[in-house]
Amino acid sequence: MRLEHVELINVEVPLVSPFRTSFGIEYVHEVLLVHVITDQAEGWAECVAMERPAYSSEYGSGAAAVLREFFIPELMQLGDNLTAESIASTLHWAKGHRMSKAAIETAVLDAQLRATDQSLASYLGAVKDRVPAGVSVGIHDSIDALLTSVQGYLDEGYLRIKLKIEPGWDLEPVRVVRETFGADMLLQVDANTAYTRVDGPHLAQLDAFDLLLIEQPLDEEDIVGHALLAKSVQTPICLDESIVSANIAADAIEMGATTIINIKPGRVGGYLEGVRIHDVCAERNIPVWCGGMLELGIGRAANVALAALPNFTLPGDTSASSRYFAEDITEPFVLEDGYVRVPQGPGIGVTPIPETLARFTVNTERISR
Ligand code: SMG
Ligand code: MG
C-alpha cells in the first residue's frame, strides 16, 4: 500500500455533561482525527491525546506536530512498502508519542483491512459479537448528584460502575453508592494517580466495599509503589497509566504491582501492542478490560473490536456514544441490554457522517506525498 495523503482533522464536540477527574474537568471533547488516503482505500483513526498533557505527557497539538513533522513524511517515503504491521518498527526510533503512533497505525490498518474486506474485530482475534458495557462516572459536586447520575446509568442498563476518586472524594461516595445500590452491583474506582505511597492505610479502607479493583492509585512511574500497596490493600490493583507496553505489563505483573490490567490502545502505541498485552496477561491469568478516552464513534468502534478478544473478561469503559455525546460523528453506538455491538463491516466498520463531521470540524490540514 502507498500513503498518498493524510488529513489531520481537529474536531470539537460538546459533552452532555462536564467530566471531572482527579486531574481536571472537560466540557468539550477536542480531538484529532487522522484520515489516511492510500492507493487502495481510505482509513480513519482517532488520536486519544487530550487537549492538555494531564492524563499523560501527550497532548493534541503536540500529537499533530509529531505526526506532521516526523511520522507522516517517513511513512510516505516508504512508497509502496507501507503495511500497518511495519509501522511500529519504522517509527521505533522515536521515543514515546505512543498515542500519535497508535493513531497513524490504526488509520493505516483501517485502510488495509477495508482494501481486503476484513473487519478489525476478526483481524485482531475477536470471539464475541457484543461486549458488556461499563460506565465511568466523574467526580461530582455532591453525593446526591452522584447518586442521581449512577441511578441514571443503571436505569440505562450499564453493567458496571466506575467511580472517579481523589483525596477528599473517596470513602464516602463509594460507601454511599455501595449501600444505595446493593452488593450485587459491579463497582470499581479510578484515582488517575492522585495518591502517594503513604496512602496505603487510607486506601485499605476501600476493602470494606467489595470493589472489583482500584485503578492507578499512584504515580504512573511508581510500579514498585503499587507492588507495595498491593500488600496492604486486599482489593485488586489495576494499572492504567503505568502500562505503556507489553514488556512493562509483564514486569508489573511479575513484581505484583497489578493483578488486572486496563488496556487502552492509544496509551500503548496501537491495537497490535494492545493484543500483545492481552496475550501477555492471558498467559499469566491476568484479566484485562478495555479502557476509554471519551472516544467518538471512530475510536469507540476500534475499542469495541479489541474488547471482543477472549481475555477481556471484565466490562470495559466501552459505553454508548450517548454517555458523552448528544450527537456522534458516526452512527452512534447504543446500549442493548447492557451490551454494545461489535462492528462487523470492513476495517473499523464505521465512517464519519460527512455533514456531521463538517459541523464539528474546526481545522483540517492535508499532507500530501
Ligand atoms: O471513555 O468512558 C471513557 C473514559 C473513561 O475514565 C475514563 N478514562 O483514566 O480511565 C481513565 C480515564 C482517562 C480519561 S479521563 C478524562
Ligand atoms: Mg484510568
Side-chain angles (χ1 to χ4, degrees):
M1 230 166 44
R2 190 172 62 239
L3 192 53
E4 303 282 11
H5 311 280
V6 179
E7 284 179 341
L8 300 178
I9 305 170
N10 295 98
V11 299
E12 292 184 7
V13 187
L15 297 184
V16 289
S17 56
F19 186 55
R20 182 174 157 206
T21 64
S22 63
F23 60 79
I25 181 159
E26 189 166 328
Y27 300 89
V28 175
H29 196 49
E30 298 188 16
V31 63
L32 176 70
L33 300 179
V34 178
H35 177 208
V36 301
I37 296 116
T38 75
D39 57 326
Q40 293 173 30
E42 300 186 14
W44 289 89
E46 190 171 330
C47 180
V48 300
M50 307 194 87
E51 188 198 352
R52 300 165 65 239
Y55 165 81
S56 75
S57 63
E58 292 182 67
Y59 62 103
S61 59
V66 78
L67 284 162
R68 173 196 307 121
E69 290 176 33
F70 300 104
F71 297 168
I72 292 167
E74 184 158 350
L75 296 177
M76 284 178 167
Q77 273 175 14
L78 292 178
D80 290 334
N81 298 323
L82 177 73
T83 63
E85 293 82 359
S86 65
I87 290 179
S89 57
T90 303
L91 302 181
H92 182 71
W93 63 270
K95 307 294 186 200
H97 296 286
R98 290 182 173 88
M99 293 175 177
S100 305
K101 290 175 178 174
I104 190 70
E105 180 189 271
T106 307
V108 170
L109 180 57
D110 182 35
Q112 184 173 307
L113 293 171
R114 286 179 201 262
T116 53
D117 203 25
Q118 185 181 10
S119 72
L120 178 65
S122 85
Y123 172 85
L124 296 176
V127 294
K128 294 170 241 182
D129 56 13
R130 60 175 202 164
V131 298
V135 61
S136 177
V137 184
I139 293 166
H140 280 56
D141 290 337
S142 68
I143 303 261
D144 278 353
L146 175 69
L147 293 178
T148 304
S149 289
V150 171
Q151 181 69 63
Y153 293 129
L154 293 174
D155 290 347
E156 283 184 60
Y158 283 104
L159 299 172
R160 183 227 69 193
I161 299 291
K162 157 168 143 180
L163 300 182
K164 290 291 193 178
I165 59 167
E166 66 181 2
W169 182 265
D170 47 25
L171 304 179
E172 192 57 11
V174 172
R175 181 184 69 77
V176 177
V177 166
R178 175 55 88 203
E179 284 174 7
T180 306
F181 300 105
D184 291 344
M185 178 180 59
L186 300 181
L187 182 63
Q188 63 192 54
V189 295
D190 185 1
N192 288 111
T193 75
Y195 297 87
T196 66
R197 288 190 189 189
V198 302
D199 292 316
H202 178 74
L203 291 169
Q205 293 181 70
L206 289 168
D207 289 342
F209 309 121
D210 192 25
L211 302 177
L212 287 168
L213 57 91
I214 302 174
E215 185 178 343
Q216 197 72 43
L218 310 181
D219 189 83
E220 68 196 82
E221 294 178 0
D222 196 7
I223 307 268
V224 170
H226 285 98
L228 294 170
L229 184 66
K231 294 193 178 128
S232 58
V233 174
Q234 303 215 312
T235 309
I237 304 293
C238 168
L239 291 181
D240 171 356
E241 284 91 329
S242 296
I243 304 298
V244 297
S245 68
N247 285 341
I248 300 277
D251 288 354
I253 295 165
E254 177 72 27
M255 290 170 72
T258 190
T259 49
I260 298 173
I261 286 182
N262 165 336
I263 300 182
K264 288 178 185 164
R267 191 192 68 222
V268 306
Y271 287 82
L272 304 179
E273 188 70 4
V275 172
R276 284 191 279 273
I277 296 178
H278 165 274
D279 295 347
V280 157
C281 291
E283 286 159 15
R284 292 161 177 77
N285 287 316
I286 297 291
V288 303
W289 55 281
C290 186
M293 294 294 286
L294 297 82
E295 284 88 349
L296 292 161
I298 295 291
R300 201 163 291 273
N303 283 350
V304 168
L306 181 69
L309 268 66
N311 193 38
F312 282 82
T313 49
L314 291 167
D317 285 340
T318 44
S319 39
S321 299
S322 62
R323 159 67 185 87
Y324 292 110
F325 310 109
E327 190 181 12
D328 206 331
I329 58 167
T330 62
E331 282 299 308
F333 281 81
V334 294
L335 210 56
E336 296 167 297
D337 299 324
Y339 288 76
V340 171
R341 219 181 280 181
V342 178
Q344 301 296 340
I348 62 171
V350 300
T351 36
I353 300 161
E355 304 75 46
T356 316
L357 176 62
R359 209 152 14 87
F360 291 125
T361 296
V362 293
N363 188 54
T364 303
E365 169 184 359
R366 193 175 170 98
I367 301 164
S368 295
R369 216 166 148 244

